[in-house]
């Protein structure tokens, strides 16, 4: 005898308009509280940017953005984050030891010999980190938003580190004629000047 096996195909009922299909997970009837932080998964690893060959310690750079745009600075070293550690020096053009993004500088052909200028190892990314404000301080700042911000005072440690580097760097700069005046001059473009045809 030949037996015919009948199979039943189980089909899901179509979802009603505005409803849910059979077997579909139910949506939660309550929303999470605002103070519950949702998991965002593993943090994205930020790789430091690859620097151009012209960005070497001792190179004179032109800042293109920020408070000191147009000023010339001396590149001290590249930090682990990919930012550049530069200084004016402060005694020449008022630019302190600071970090800048390599995308906003122009490297010139002028260089300064830094073999006799020791760069302290403590001048890293953590050296420039800002202190986080407490929750109470944030609440106070909300009600005092219209008040002018208090001036930021430079710590005695930074003043001491700035003077130590300036003293050594000025001795090297003064050995080259006109280099001090070159660092103190502001870079500007006038009508008719074509930056893509200029040699820095």
């Amino acid at each position: 005898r030949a037996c015919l096996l009948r199979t039943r195909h189980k089909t899901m009922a179509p979802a009603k308009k505005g409803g849910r299909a059979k077997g579909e997970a139910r949506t939660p009837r309550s929303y999470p509280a605002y103070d519950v932080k949702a998991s965002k998964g593993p943090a994205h690893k930020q790789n430091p940017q690859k620097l151009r060959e012209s960005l070497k310690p001792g190179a004179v750079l032109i800042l293109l953005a920020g408070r000191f745009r147009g000023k010339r600075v001396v590149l001290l070293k590249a930090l682990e984050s990919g930012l550049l550690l530069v200084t004016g020096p402060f005694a020449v053009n008022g630019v302190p030891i600071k970090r800048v993004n390599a995308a906003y500088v122009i490297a010139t052909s002028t260089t300064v010999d830094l073999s006799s200028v020791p760069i302290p190892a403590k001048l890293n990314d953590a050296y420039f980190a800002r202190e986080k404000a407490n929750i109470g301080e944030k609440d106070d700042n909300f009600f005092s938003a219209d008040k002018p911000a208090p001036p930021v005072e430079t710590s005695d440690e930074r003043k001491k580190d700035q003077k130590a580097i300036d003293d050594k760097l000025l001795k090297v700069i003064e050995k080259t004629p006109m280099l001090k005046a070159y660092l103190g001059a502001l870079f500007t473009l006038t009508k008719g000047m074509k930056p893509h045809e200029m040699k820095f």
Side-chain angles (χ1 to χ4, degrees), residues 116-192:
S116 60
V117 183
I119 309 299
K122 67 177 181 178
L123 295 180
N124 50 22
D125 292 303
Y127 180 82
F128 297 94
R130 297 180 180 179
E131 296 182 359
K132 295 183 179 181
N134 298 327
I135 298 177
E137 294 179 0
K138 291 182 179 179
D139 295 339
D140 296 340
N141 293 338
F142 177 78
F143 294 104
S144 60
D146 297 334
K147 297 181 180 179
V152 180
E153 296 183 359
T154 307
S155 63
D156 295 336
E157 181 187 5
R158 288 201 180 188
K159 291 179 181 179
K160 185 178 179 181
D161 296 335
Q162 181 73 60
K163 189 176 185 306
I165 292 181
D166 279 9
D167 292 344
K168 297 286 182 66
L169 197 57
L170 281 173
K171 292 180 180 179
V172 179
I173 292 173
E174 289 174 353
K175 293 180 181 179
T176 305
M178 301 296 294
L179 182 57
K180 187 174 181 179
Y182 174 74
L183 291 172
L186 189 68
F187 173 77
T188 55
L189 291 174
T190 57
K191 187 177 180 180

Side-chain angles (χ1 to χ4, degrees), residues 14 19 24 31 34-35 46 49 52 60 79 88 92 101 117 133 136 138 146 150-152 158 163 170 185 191 197:
E24 186 180 352
Y31 295 97
Y34 289 109
D35 57 348
Q46 185 177 4
Q49 59 179 331
R52 305 190 294 270
V60 176
L79 302 175
V92 176
N101 194 321
V117 183
K138 291 182 179 179
D146 297 334
V152 180
R158 288 201 180 188
K163 189 176 185 306
L170 281 173
K191 187 177 180 180
E197 295 181 356

Side-chain angles (χ1 to χ4, degrees), residues 16-107:
K16 295 180 181 180
K17 189 175 182 181
R20 68 180 181 88
K22 189 177 180 181
E24 186 180 352
R26 292 179 180 271
T27 55
R29 297 193 178 187
S30 61
Y31 295 97
Y34 289 109
D35 57 348
V36 177
K37 292 184 179 180
S39 177
K40 297 182 180 179
H44 176 68
K45 184 180 179 182
Q46 185 177 4
N47 297 321
Q49 59 179 331
K50 189 176 180 181
L51 299 178
R52 305 190 294 270
E53 294 183 359
S54 56
L55 299 177
K56 295 181 180 179
V60 176
L61 312 177
I62 300 173
L63 302 181
L64 300 178
R67 175 185 170 190
F68 301 102
R69 60 182 176 274
K71 295 286 186 76
R72 293 178 172 90
V73 294
V74 179
L75 173 58
L76 300 179
K77 66 176 181 179
L79 302 175
E80 293 181 0
S81 61
L83 299 176
L84 306 177
L85 183 69
V86 300
T87 185
F90 184 79
V92 176
N93 54 21
V95 181
I97 300 173
K98 65 190 307 279
R99 296 179 299 174
V100 295
N101 194 321
Y104 300 104
V105 299
I106 295 177

